Amino acid sequence: MAERRLQVTGRLGLHARAAANLVRVASQFQSTLTIQRLDGNAQADAKSILSILTLAASRGTDLKIVANGVDEQEALDAVVGLFERDFDENDKADGEQLPRATEELRCKGLGVSDGIVIGRVLRLQEGTPNVYRAEIAESDLERERRRFRAAVRLSRRQLEAIKDRAEKELGRGHAYIFDAHLLFLQDAKLTRDVEDYIVKEHSNAEWAAKVVGDRLLSIYTQINDEYLRERGSDIEDVIQRLLSNLTGEGPKYPNLSEDAVIVSTELLPSTIAELNLNHVKAIATDAGGWTSHMAIIARGLGLTAVVGLRNFYHRTRTGDQIVVDARAGEVILHPATETLEHYRFTVHEPRPITHEVSVEEFGPVTTRDGVQILLRANVELPTEFHAVRYFGACGVGLFRSEFLLSRPGLMGSEIEQYEAYRLLAEAAGEYGAIVRLFDVGGEFGPDLKERERNPALGLRAVRFNLHHKEIMRTQVRAILRAAAKGRLSLVIPMVADVADVRSARRVIDEETARLAAENATFAEVQVGAMIEIPSAVLTAEKIAGEVDFFELGTNDLVQYTLAVDRGNDKVAEWFRTLHPAVLYGISRTLKAAKDANIRVIVCGEMASTPAYAVLLAGLGTTDLSMIPAMIPRVRAVLSQIKTDEAREVALRCLAAGTADEVEEFVRTEFKTRWPDLFPPNALPK
Ligand code: PEP
Ligand code: MG
């Protein structure tokens, strides 16, 4: 046995990167290496990063290193040498290389709603799960351990990818923290303890990981050194990643403060739907685009949001001060005093949609040449129902019913759904409401453990419904029964062709017949088809013969026509709503509907944008459905244009070759024709 005493001299103590270097050196030797604090009993295994960090050895701590084994002397020399060289890092660089910002840091993203908010960061890693204890039979224990190891492997692959990206985009200095995360994952103190727990307690892997993780975290919260204590959040990150890879469940929100700003890599729409809006003031995410559901629902809720911030999440800590400026599409972490002063004068939280006073204009808008255009509301959550009247909408043009499923995987019972649709019909009034059958799949995997490789092209929307007929039947029955209490219609999402429509209608007809046979109170409803994928556009005249109306989903129409993921900020510049191919698809659909004498409601985000609404009117639209808060603005614009003029512009756009040409043309033409309605910043960039 060989031993030496020494003192920690580095400014940051035995912190994560120093500990990582120590593990690397110690692991080269066969001997056991133990580090003991001389001021107490605490001791650690020098080959385990978690164990070393729990020593909480800050600068000035006296330690004893004990080596035991065949190469004990060499091992001791190597470790002592590392201490003497201050872990091969220079103090100054270390402070600079921390990924966590401590000075004002500005990040550009995409503002997807209105407002400026000053608040405190609440980090949410999607998938922070609800973990339950399950008893595992003796014969299944090995399988449970294997499941845990698979989650560790998956987490490792994810972290390696994050590290590579951080290295490329931010430099090596910022990527080191992921080395520490990777070491946590490999650390026997974590993996062995979890596996031991599984076996000893006959526990499921999730519970075991949670218990072991909580134990480690509780050690960290007692540490006196602030810097080291903060490393606890790195462990938390790793444990959360493990748990979400094991369970794939949605998040929970710990201790929401009054002014929480949710910062996340990506948020499930259902997570936003669950947020307590009395506390959450804004969201800032690494991923996302203008038409991602996360953005749509943030706008619908009047929540200030900036998305597409790339590597922002990993630079924050819960509790950091933050400014979210959705107008400028920017977030500012650790704002300087002058920045705060500036913002305190200009702070503007979007007007909550719960205001008592309401707009004065209702019903359809009439253009200057006498064309009536219906303005309906898109609604996602029951909390938005009152916004329909408040903003003067002609009922609800699109109810995205999947938002009723507050958590992926939970399908509401018939009676729960019936009640929701009944209230929807009541809120919608004389113009009624159109309920879209669940558009799950894609972002709303019914079971996140079975995430598909390519969800947007996978078992989504009508395909999901036809595969899970019991879920579809329950929803259809609830809609039909609620239709007896108010005006409701039903729309089938994402049909590819007539075959999808027929299959869905068959189920609807069967449920109608069954309700009649049961003598239940119900009413028959009109059935429409969402036209949002190119094959439906190309066969629109055939589909028109089989439904009562169309809804044009321009968000997906752009996504599928241009093959651009609507939620991926990396391809946002290819997501061009005014692409001639998209305009052609819209025009074709409108013509097919007109020939068949059925109405078309345009309900994508395009309808919510005043300049685009004018183009839609020019293409022949007379029915728009949009974010309720946008109705007054769209109404004001449409009431001052002539559709004849809009038609001239729209025809020229259809003839253009590229999206750039269309946008340029729209900019100049709109400025000349309607200078008061479209100041320069109101037009597409
Ligand atoms: C659309 O695709 O345009 C649409 C209205 O539906 P969602 O945004 O929910 O896909
Ligand atoms: Mg859609």
Side-chain angles (χ1 to χ4, degrees):
M1 191 164 75
E3 60 176 65
R4 278 277 273 288
R5 288 167 184 240
L6 42 75
Q7 200 179 52
V8 179
T9 52
R11 185 171 59 86
L12 295 171
L14 204 41
H15 63 98
R17 185 159 53 154
N21 285 344
L22 180 53
V23 171
R24 230 170 270 124
V25 170
S27 304
Q28 292 161 9
F29 300 94
Q30 283 181 31
S31 303
T32 57
L33 276 155
T34 313
I35 308 177
Q36 294 170 5
R37 279 185 76 121
L38 291 178
D39 58 358
N41 300 329
Q43 66 172 45
D45 173 1
K47 295 180 185 175
S48 158
I49 189 168
L50 291 168
S51 178
I52 297 169
L53 288 176
T54 53
L55 280 179
S58 49
R59 184 182 206 163
T61 307
D62 290 311
L63 301 172
K64 181 165 83 176
I65 313 221
V66 182
N68 202 345
V70 284
D71 48 4
E72 57 195 31
Q73 198 52 54
E74 294 96 307
L76 192 63
D77 290 346
V79 169
V80 170
L82 189 69
F83 268 87
E84 285 169 356
R85 297 195 306 277
D86 262 342
F87 305 98
D88 291 337
E89 52 185 16
N90 90 38
D91 235 13
K92 185 171 166 291
D94 188 55
E96 283 171 1
Q97 285 172 5
L98 296 176
R100 178 197 168 185
T102 48
E103 290 179 356
E104 179 167 304
L105 170 77
R106 288 173 181 255
C107 276
K108 273 275 176 204
L110 179 69
V112 292
S113 60
D114 196 10
I116 296 168
V117 162
I118 301 175
R120 295 266 163 201
V121 169
L122 172 64
R123 294 175 102 218
L124 261 195
Q125 179 76 305
E126 198 56 275
T128 308
N130 243 337
V131 175
Y132 299 100
R133 170 90 163 89
E135 184 79 17
I136 303 291
E138 184 75 36
S139 54
D140 287 337
L141 287 178
E142 187 46 38
R143 197 208 48 193
E144 203 58 16
R145 287 169 67 190
R146 276 208 304 275
R147 208 162 68 76
F148 173 67
R149 284 180 215 148
V152 172
R153 279 199 301 277
L154 176 60
S155 305
R156 186 175 320 142
R157 280 202 300 277
Q158 291 167 345
L159 281 169
E160 276 162 358
I162 294 172
K163 191 183 116 190
D164 283 353
R165 216 182 52 215
E167 223 163 68
K168 273 194 211 108
E169 293 178 13
L170 300 171
R172 172 77 200 119
H174 289 300
Y176 92 88
I177 193 69
F178 302 111
D179 279 332
H181 284 202
L182 281 161
L183 274 171
F184 292 154
L185 266 182
Q186 284 158 19
D187 198 310
K189 186 157 175 57
L190 176 67
T191 51
R192 198 186 45 222
D193 284 6
V194 173
E195 289 194 37
D196 285 353
Y197 192 93
I198 292 174
V199 174
K200 258 197 235 127
E201 305 292 329
H202 282 214
S203 160
N204 51 328
E206 290 87 341
W207 185 252
K210 171 117 181 62
V211 170
V212 172
D214 283 352
R215 266 190 216 147
L216 284 167
L217 281 172
S218 74
I219 299 174
Y220 269 82
T221 49
Q222 289 155 23
I223 291 178
N224 250 340
D225 179 288
E226 197 199 342
Y227 178 81
L228 286 171
R229 191 171 51 234
E230 282 189 357
R231 304 282 58 78
S233 54
D234 292 327
I235 295 181
E236 201 176 357
D237 240 10
V238 171
I239 299 287
Q240 282 182 0
R241 180 174 299 281
L242 266 176
L243 289 178
S244 63
N245 282 333
L246 277 165
T247 67
E249 250 192 54
K252 277 279 147 273
Y253 327 103
N255 312 325
L256 285 181
S257 65
E258 291 283 297
D259 54 357
V261 171
I262 303 282
V263 178
S264 180
T265 47
E266 183 171 15
L267 286 171
L268 282 173
S270 56
T271 305
I272 305 179
E274 272 188 310
L275 294 175
N276 175 348
L277 293 179
N278 292 330
H279 294 312
V280 176
K281 293 284 179 267
I283 57 175
T285 59
D286 285 1
W290 179 262
T291 62
S292 56
H293 276 127
M294 162 170 86
I296 292 172
I297 195 161
R299 279 197 292 280
L301 292 172
L303 199 58
T304 298
V306 178
V307 306
L309 289 162
R310 305 276 169 101
N311 286 304
F312 185 63
Y313 172 77
H314 284 289
R315 311 182 84 174
T316 61
R317 287 288 176 266
T318 291
D320 287 348
Q321 193 164 40
I322 186 172
V323 176
V324 181
D325 182 348
R327 293 179 168 185
E330 188 173 50
V331 294
I332 306 164
L333 194 64
H334 305 301
T337 321
E338 318 80 75
T339 310
L340 278 176
E341 287 290 294
H342 164 75
Y343 272 108
R344 287 213 169 101
F345 281 112
T346 51
V347 146
H348 164 86
E349 290 177 19
R351 194 169 48 159
I353 54 177
T354 47
H355 269 208
E356 288 308 318
V357 275
S358 58
V359 299
E360 277 157 20
E361 289 174 284
F362 294 88
V365 58
T366 308
T367 62
R368 279 181 51 212
D369 52 351
V371 176
Q372 284 214 332
I373 300 179
L374 269 79
L375 305 176
R376 306 179 195 248
N378 288 351
V379 169
E380 286 80 35
L381 299 168
T383 49
E384 294 172 291
F385 284 178
H386 64 278
V388 179
R389 299 243 163 112
Y390 175 72
F391 290 110
C394 305
V396 174
L398 174 67
F399 178 58
R400 292 181 164 100
S401 65
E402 59 279 4
F403 285 90
L404 284 177
L405 318 171
S406 64
R407 284 227 199 95
L410 290 183
M411 301 292 166
S413 68
E414 184 177 321
I415 184 76
E416 280 165 352
Q417 288 190 54
Y418 162 80
E419 192 51 24
Y421 304 141
R422 192 185 64 73
L423 292 173
L424 171 72
E426 199 176 280
E430 54 176 321
Y431 287 95
I434 301 170
V435 181
R436 178 170 72 184
L437 294 181
F438 294 140
D439 188 349
V440 289
E443 292 168 82
F444 292 92
D447 178 351
L448 294 184
K449 272 180 264 175
E450 288 171 18
R451 276 218 174 180
E452 295 174 70
R453 247 171 77 94
N454 206 339
L457 304 183
L459 195 63
R460 186 187 152 182
V462 69
R463 304 170 189 174
F464 173 89
N465 290 317
L466 292 172
H467 251 254
H468 295 87
K469 287 231 178 68
E470 282 321 303
I471 292 172
M472 181 174 174
R473 287 183 195 284
T474 305
Q475 184 176 28
V476 168
R477 286 172 66 86
I479 295 170
L480 293 172
R481 287 180 49 209
K485 304 282 178 191
R487 274 193 70 179
L488 288 179
S489 321
L490 171 165
V491 67
I492 311 162
M494 232 186 96
V495 298
D497 53 21
V498 170
D500 280 346
V501 173
R502 287 187 186 151
S503 307
R505 285 208 84 133
R506 206 169 302 128
V507 176
I508 297 164
D509 291 345
E510 281 165 14
E511 287 315 312
T512 312
R514 197 172 306 174
L515 283 170
E518 288 167 10
N519 264 334
T521 310
F522 75 99
E524 292 197 26
V525 296
Q526 291 208 327
V527 175
M530 292 285 300
I531 304 294
E532 48 190 346
I533 54 182
S535 59
V537 171
L538 294 172
T539 54
E541 31 310 282
K542 295 173 182 129
I543 299 175
E546 313 237 351
V547 293
D548 302 309
F549 63 95
F550 279 169
E551 294 228 33
L552 241 167
T554 55
N555 304 330
D556 277 317
L557 188 63
V558 177
Q559 156 162 277
Y560 294 122
T561 302
L562 305 180
V564 177
D565 181 348
R566 60 194 264 194
N568 181 348
D569 56 293
K570 293 203 189 77
V571 289
E573 63 193 281
W574 279 274
F575 193 95
R576 306 292 288 272
T577 303
L578 296 193
H579 194 290
V582 174
L583 299 179
Y584 174 72
I586 294 171
S587 152
R588 198 179 188 292
T589 307
L590 290 170
K591 173 156 189 331
K594 193 169 176 205
D595 292 347
N597 207 16
I598 62 171
R599 72 200 142 94
V600 182
I601 300 152
V602 183
C603 62
E605 291 307 285
M606 195 173 174
S608 298
T609 313
Y612 297 171
V614 171
L615 271 187
L616 287 167
L619 289 168
T621 312
T622 54
D623 208 326
L624 299 169
S625 191
M626 65 199 80
I627 292 169
M630 289 306 295
I631 290 174
R633 246 191 270 176
V634 172
R635 178 189 298 282
V637 166
L638 291 179
S639 67
Q640 291 176 61
I641 59 133
K642 288 187 180 162
T643 50
D644 277 353
E645 272 193 77
R647 180 154 186 79
E648 277 173 41
V649 180
L651 288 178
R652 294 271 301 275
C653 292
L654 274 174
T658 66
D660 280 345
E661 281 170 34
V662 176
E663 287 182 9
E664 184 50 38
F665 177 69
V666 165
R667 257 194 304 273
T668 38
E669 200 68 12
F670 275 41
K671 240 185 327 195
T672 327
R673 286 181 191 258
W674 302 293
D676 299 337
L677 293 182
F678 296 104
N681 63 0
L683 292 165
K685 296 206 178 63

